[in-house]
Amino acid sequence: MHNNKQMTLSAPFSGAVITLTQIPDPVFANGAMGDGVAIDPLDDVLHAPCAGVIINVARTRHAINLRADNGSEWLLHVGIDSVELEGEGFQALVKEGQRVTEGQPLLRIDLDYVARHSRTLISPLILLNSDRFTLSLARTSGSINVGEPLLTMTPVARQEQDSPSSDIRARQVRGSIRVAHTGGLHARPAALVRQTARQFSSHVELHFAGASASTDSVTGLMGLGIAEQDEVEVVCLGHDSEVALQALLKALSTPSPDEKLSTPVTADLPRTEHAEREPGVMIGVTASPGLASGPLFRLDTIELGDDPGGHRPDEQRQIFTEALAQVRADISGSLDHQNHEQSAIFATHLAMLEDPALLGIAHDAIDQGHSAGHAWSEAVLRQCAVLENLDNPLLAERANDLRDLRQRMLLSLLGDARDVEVPPGAIVVARELTPSDLLMLAECGVGGICMADGGATSHVAILARGQGLPCVVALGATLLDVAIGQEVVLDADNGRLEISPDEARLRGIQGLRSQRFEQRQRQQQHAHLPALTQDGVNIDIAANVASRADAENAQLNGADGVGLLRTEFLFVDRSTAPTEDEQRAAYQAVLDAMDAKPVIIRTIDVGGDKQLEYLPLPAEANPVLGLRGIRLGQARPELLDQQLRALLRVTPLARCRILLPMITEVSELLAVRGRIDELAQALGLTERPQLGVMIEVPSAALMAEQLAEHADFLSIGTNDLSQYTLAMDRDHAGLAARVDALHPALLRLIAMTCDAAHGKGRWVGVCGALASDPLATAVLIGLGVRELSVSPPNVAQIKAQVRELDTRHCQTLAHHVLNLSGAEAVREACRTFQTQVVAQKNIA
């Protein structure tokens, strides 16, 4: 049912209506894919919510793209994580290009099978081109029957977008702020700003250096060239302009925790004169460490021939729209298979695909008779040129994300997958790779990556590190002149590409790589065995995780449990708090992923540098010393109560251990324990989970004996403990290298904590970054630590190291280093100790 102004969509299922924010998947819940609604289905057939044309039926048949007669494009997605079923449980009743009527059956679903093998049956209905329509839900809760009105959409008049009414102008407000995002307003911060602005009806623009851009356009915002600490003006026009302005000012002045993903592991290597003159060696920047050798293979970008023009605009628009839907569906469908870093990158790509600036340029070119491929290519390359001409290396790197979208679209428009045969173990050369290229090459089993351009903070670098692929960037244009097929050595540990290695060097590299590989293989073979020291002391090697996918990875890598589940992932990057049911489902999923192993779940640790959009906190001169951690729970008890109730509802409760952050005194611990008793009694529970406290401020270490009397365990967070003890901000560019948790002062606090805990019969773990440092393993064991919670990929290595140690020797080392002068002296003593352990092993 529709007219020129509105169109009503009917329910495709019978079931319970659910808002997007209640979906247990951040990609849908935070609106990154678009606006919409969801249904928890009761029947086994997905029906067309309106008349239209089928754009795409997913290969795995779990999703359908539908274009309605008014031009709106919809993603009908059955279940969450259902793509992993590879089509099992789904029967497609329609095909691409088919016209359907409202109510026509589209998919048949085996509800029992899909419910048992996916995360949830909740099925989102997402408007993909939500910049062109506004939605009004007929209902936001309760039950609905198939065919009943579900939502109404109204086209956004272009005149309203381009020419705000006088009433809107009357509500114009302005404000200025300095941008706090690391590297300025590049892709992710720009997407965050766009997402924040879309919560309000006001039209929002950023003004900087005589130019302006609408917050609707991620590329437009990036094109302003705004650097970190630049002052920008925010202009809001609309009835809710005042609240929109405050939200935008906060979004611009509050760095996202995810920006740490963009921090390079290694600093740019100096280009010394000796290195530049060394024959047969090219020096670049390490993006991902490692060592590899193999034949050079060149990967070129997709190029288009000349466009003769004269194409029919209506045909090309349809081709273009279908390709957009296909690429969106491909990216969305792959998000469930990616880790947190990969998901964040490709969620930004989804936002770029909705960018009105890019789409406007492409549509204009199509209207002038150009083909869809040439129109899109021109739009992307024009915006890339804008970013690359800015005096901002980080923004120039983000142009590579646009090139990735260019290639994805061209592959869809050309109707052919990228047909390349990369020799296994090859060293791939390119001017600059895209994130999609990187993932494709990783699947091909390449040995390493080297690029003429690029940087260590690029998304490709992040993905390379995640894949464990050696990668060197910024090698210069002469890299592209190197003959393809010849054997080279990629020493990514030192940022070197050796173009003319002799046979002895190649044999040496192969030997080193074989040793490393065999060592990793041996370690992995025993990863699921206990980590027992030479004198029979068991050390639990757990994993730090932030999601169910992380937990599954930890289980595969042999972790003895989860030593720290950071629950902030449920609360950040969204406009409303997660519900109790949503939290319970997320926590239960992590417990289920770890089989019978214990899971330590930290209560929400926000405040300080981690802010929530829906929980405005007062500005603080020194946020890391302000309202954060357990103090926020004291200030907002309803937030903590909701989380505690969700935790008490997981099963089995015996495997759930609750960890409290930023505890400074015993009364804070006792208050939470009392509240857990009250909530458990209200829920009819007789069992209580173990309750521990984080030792991450000096006062907690000094009070460890009193805390251990009332806590079931203590967990040391060395990251915060380092900065609070040394009075150095660990994110300060000039001081970060000196914030070393192996400083004797830190080790003394750890020793004090362990002695106090053991006196009360409690165990102590370390969940900070120090636990993953192989150089620190012996010292921590010597001090009395009995659980190390590390990054999942490090589990096997740390377990193997523990098995070579004797706790009595570790205690001697620990006693020695407590009296050294500084962190570097401690590290040198640990290196000497490691050398002795290896030597004794070789003798044995």
Side-chain angles (χ1 to χ4, degrees):
M1 179 178 65
H2 63 90
N3 53 38
N4 291 334
K5 292 185 177 180
Q6 291 184 332
M7 182 173 183
T8 299
L9 266 66
S10 61
F13 284 119
S14 297
V17 177
I18 295 172
T19 61
L20 289 190
T21 57
Q22 296 175 292
I23 298 178
D25 186 298
V27 177
F28 290 107
N30 65 16
M33 293 183 62
D35 201 0
V37 69
I39 294 176
D40 195 354
L42 297 175
D43 41 25
D44 61 356
V45 174
L46 172 72
H47 298 83
C50 61
V53 175
I54 302 298
I55 300 174
N56 173 256
V57 178
R59 177 185 59 83
T60 51
R61 300 185 293 281
H62 73 291
I64 283 182
N65 288 102
L66 172 69
R67 184 191 299 110
D69 289 341
N70 68 343
S72 60
E73 298 170 7
W74 294 88
L75 171 66
L76 312 179
H77 194 287
V78 180
I80 303 298
D81 286 352
S82 48
V83 67
E84 298 178 5
L85 303 185
E86 290 294 329
E88 290 293 324
F90 296 98
Q91 178 188 0
L93 305 177
V94 292
K95 59 184 179 180
E96 294 178 13
Q98 180 178 339
R99 179 162 184 81
V100 297
T101 58
E102 182 177 345
Q104 181 173 337
L106 305 179
L107 288 178
R108 189 175 301 280
I109 304 109
D110 184 338
L111 287 183
D112 181 62
Y113 181 86
V114 176
R116 285 186 291 107
H117 293 86
S118 62
R119 197 188 324 179
T120 175
L121 276 173
I122 292 175
S123 300
L125 177 68
I126 303 295
L127 176 61
L128 296 175
N129 50 349
S130 54
D131 58 312
R132 296 175 53 191
F133 301 88
T134 58
L135 298 185
S136 175
L137 298 180
R139 64 188 74 184
T140 57
S141 61
S143 298
I144 195 169
N145 293 319
V146 64
E148 291 183 350
L150 177 62
L151 57 82
T152 300
M153 56 179 160
T154 304
V156 177
R158 188 165 298 276
Q159 182 177 1
E160 294 176 5
Q161 292 177 310
D162 297 339
S163 303
S165 68
S166 59
D167 179 59
I168 292 178
R169 287 199 181 97
R171 293 182 175 86
Q172 182 186 108
V173 295
R174 296 170 177 263
S176 297
I177 197 74
R178 289 193 180 277
V179 173
H181 295 275
T182 303
L185 218 57
H186 51 92
R188 287 187 190 173
L192 172 63
V193 169
R194 171 182 176 271
Q195 182 180 6
T196 302
R198 292 183 68 179
Q199 300 172 42
F200 307 97
S201 62
S202 290
H203 176 75
V204 183
E205 292 182 350
L206 297 192
H207 293 210
F208 175 71
S212 65
S214 167
T215 54
D216 287 335
S217 173
V218 172
T219 56
L221 293 175
M222 293 165 61
L224 292 176
I226 298 171
E228 185 178 357
Q229 293 304 311
D230 277 346
E231 185 170 322
V232 300
E233 184 181 36
V234 183
V235 181
C236 302
L237 304 92
H239 69 87
D240 57 357
S241 56
E242 289 84 359
V243 65
L245 177 64
Q246 295 306 313
L248 266 296
L249 294 177
K250 183 175 181 180
L252 289 163
S253 61
T254 306
S256 165
D258 278 348
E259 289 182 19
K260 292 180 181 179
L261 296 178
S262 296
T263 303
V265 171
T266 53
D268 290 2
L269 297 176
R271 296 174 179 269
T272 63
E273 292 184 7
H274 170 73
E276 289 182 343
R277 288 201 308 264
E278 189 175 352
V281 174
M282 301 182 71
I283 301 295
V285 174
T286 297
S288 176
L291 187 65
S293 65
L296 272 186
F297 179 87
R298 174 79 173 268
L299 189 68
D300 294 313
T301 59
I302 299 174
E303 300 298 339
L304 296 174
D306 294 334
D307 183 12
H311 299 278
R312 289 182 55 185
D314 55 342
E315 290 182 353
Q316 294 303 311
R317 272 183 175 268
Q318 181 173 351
I319 292 171
F320 182 67
T321 301
E322 292 175 356
L324 274 176
Q326 178 65 55
V327 173
R328 287 192 190 108
D330 288 345
I331 296 176
S332 302
S334 66
L335 285 174
D336 290 339
H337 295 290
Q338 296 164 356
N339 61 32
H340 180 66
E341 293 182 352
Q342 294 172 0
S343 295
I345 292 169
F346 288 106
T348 300
H349 287 194
L350 279 176
M352 287 180 170
L353 280 176
E354 293 183 1
D355 195 298
L358 282 176
L359 297 178
I361 295 172
H363 285 147
D364 288 345
I366 289 174
D367 290 343
Q368 295 169 15
H370 293 289
S371 70
H374 281 85
W376 175 251
S377 182
E378 173 62 24
V380 170
L381 294 178
R382 187 186 305 180
Q383 189 60 42
C384 287
V386 171
L387 296 178
E388 290 167 341
N389 288 331
L390 296 171
D391 188 18
N392 187 321
L394 187 56
L395 286 176
E397 288 178 2
R398 294 306 177 253
N400 196 34
D401 292 293
L402 287 172
R403 282 191 285 271
D404 194 340
L405 292 177
R406 173 183 177 269
Q407 291 196 172
R408 278 181 176 265
M409 282 288 290
L410 290 179
L411 288 172
S412 180
L413 289 165
L414 296 173
D416 191 13
R418 192 165 194 182
D419 186 17
V420 291
E421 293 185 8
V422 186
I427 307 301
V428 176
V429 172
R431 179 173 295 281
E432 189 168 21
L433 295 172
T434 70
S436 298
D437 289 334
L438 191 285
L439 295 182
M440 178 271 291
L441 291 170
E443 292 179 358
C444 293
V446 301
I449 306 290
C450 47
M451 294 188 288
D453 299 330
T457 62
S458 70
H459 285 160
V460 170
I462 294 170
L463 295 177
R465 291 194 289 271
Q467 295 288 335
L469 268 180
C471 179
V472 176
V473 298
L475 285 159
T478 55
L479 171 68
L480 304 178
D481 298 328
V482 179
I484 303 303
Q486 68 184 72
E487 291 285 321
V488 298
V489 168
L490 182 63
D491 180 4
D493 291 336
N494 298 299
R496 293 161 52 96
L497 176 65
E498 302 175 21
I499 299 171
S500 305
D502 57 25
E503 288 298 323
R505 174 61 169 161
L506 288 173
R507 285 195 301 271
I509 293 297
Q510 290 298 331
L512 285 172
R513 294 190 72 242
S514 296
Q515 289 176 17
R516 292 185 183 184
F517 177 77
E518 290 171 2
Q519 183 181 40
R520 286 194 299 269
Q521 291 290 96
R522 288 194 300 270
Q523 292 171 350
Q524 202 61 41
Q525 287 173 0
H526 300 93
H528 293 270
L529 299 177
L532 293 174
T533 64
Q534 292 287 307
D535 54 328
V537 176
N538 183 72
I539 308 296
D540 288 325
I541 308 301
N544 296 334
V545 305
S547 66
R548 185 198 65 163
D550 288 349
E552 291 172 345
N553 189 25
Q555 173 71 2
L556 288 173
N557 280 279
D560 296 323
V562 169
L564 174 64
L565 170 62
R566 304 178 182 92
T567 59
E568 293 77 49
F569 78 99
L570 276 171
F571 292 82
V572 299
D573 294 333
R574 55 189 298 161
S575 57
T576 59
T579 65
E580 181 181 321
D581 286 342
E582 184 179 349
Q583 291 190 55
R584 186 262 174 195
Y587 307 147
Q588 186 67 55
V590 173
L591 261 73
D592 292 344
M594 294 304 297
D595 289 341
K597 299 172 183 176
V599 174
I600 297 177
I601 304 177
R602 185 177 68 188
T603 59
I604 181 172
D605 184 16
V606 296
D609 61 344
K610 292 177 283 189
Q611 299 289 331
L612 302 179
E613 293 179 21
Y614 49 86
L615 188 66
L617 298 174
E620 297 179 294
N622 199 337
V624 296
L625 299 181
L627 192 64
R628 59 167 298 195
I630 197 62
R631 302 167 196 164
L632 178 61
Q634 294 171 324
R636 296 294 299 270
E638 73 282 1
L639 194 68
L640 181 60
D641 277 1
Q642 184 187 54
Q643 185 170 34
L644 292 176
R645 279 194 301 269
L647 289 167
L648 289 169
R649 290 172 55 202
V650 302
T651 57
L653 195 55
R655 287 204 291 119
C656 175
R657 300 172 179 174
I658 300 176
L659 182 62
L660 304 178
M662 294 300 295
I663 292 290
T664 59
E665 57 187 46
V666 176
S667 62
E668 296 168 326
L669 168 61
L670 292 177
V672 177
R673 188 177 282 283
R675 191 59 186 147
I676 289 176
D677 286 337
E678 294 172 2
L679 295 172
Q681 187 174 6
L683 291 170
L685 299 175
T686 57
E687 188 178 15
R688 301 290 187 271
Q690 288 191 23
L691 182 64
V693 298
M694 288 200 73
I695 306 296
E696 50 189 339
V697 295
S699 62
L702 295 169
M703 296 287 292
E705 184 175 0
Q706 290 82 359
L707 289 170
E709 187 172 345
H710 301 283
D712 297 303
F713 64 94
L714 305 179
S715 184
I716 301 173
T718 55
N719 301 349
D720 269 326
L721 187 60
S722 298
Q723 73 171 347
Y724 289 127
T725 301
L726 301 177
M728 295 181 187
D729 185 348
R730 56 191 170 108
D731 293 325
H732 189 291
L735 297 174
R738 296 179 59 189
V739 186
D740 192 333
L742 279 179
H743 191 289
L746 266 295
L747 298 180
R748 290 189 178 200
L749 290 176
I750 294 173
M752 183 182 301
T753 300
C754 291
D755 290 344
H758 295 161
K760 299 294 182 180
R762 313 301 189 198
W763 60 269
V764 178
V766 171
C767 61
L770 191 65
S772 295
D773 185 347
L775 207 59
T777 304
V779 169
L780 293 175
I781 291 174
L783 292 174
V785 173
R786 290 300 176 260
E787 182 199 71
L788 299 172
S789 191
V790 305
S791 300
N794 293 357
V795 169
Q797 178 188 9
I798 298 298
K799 277 192 171 184
Q801 189 169 8
V802 168
R803 297 186 187 109
E804 296 178 355
L805 300 174
D806 186 302
T807 57
R808 293 162 296 186
H809 298 159
C810 293
Q811 290 166 357
T812 301
L813 171 66
H815 179 75
H816 170 63
V817 299
L818 289 178
N819 297 305
L820 295 179
S821 59
E824 185 49 46
V826 173
R827 289 192 173 275
E828 183 58 36
C830 291
R831 281 190 283 267
T832 300
F833 179 84
Q834 275 192 349
T835 301
Q836 293 171 347
V837 170
V838 172
Q840 291 172 355
K841 178 184 176 182
N842 291 337
I843 291 174

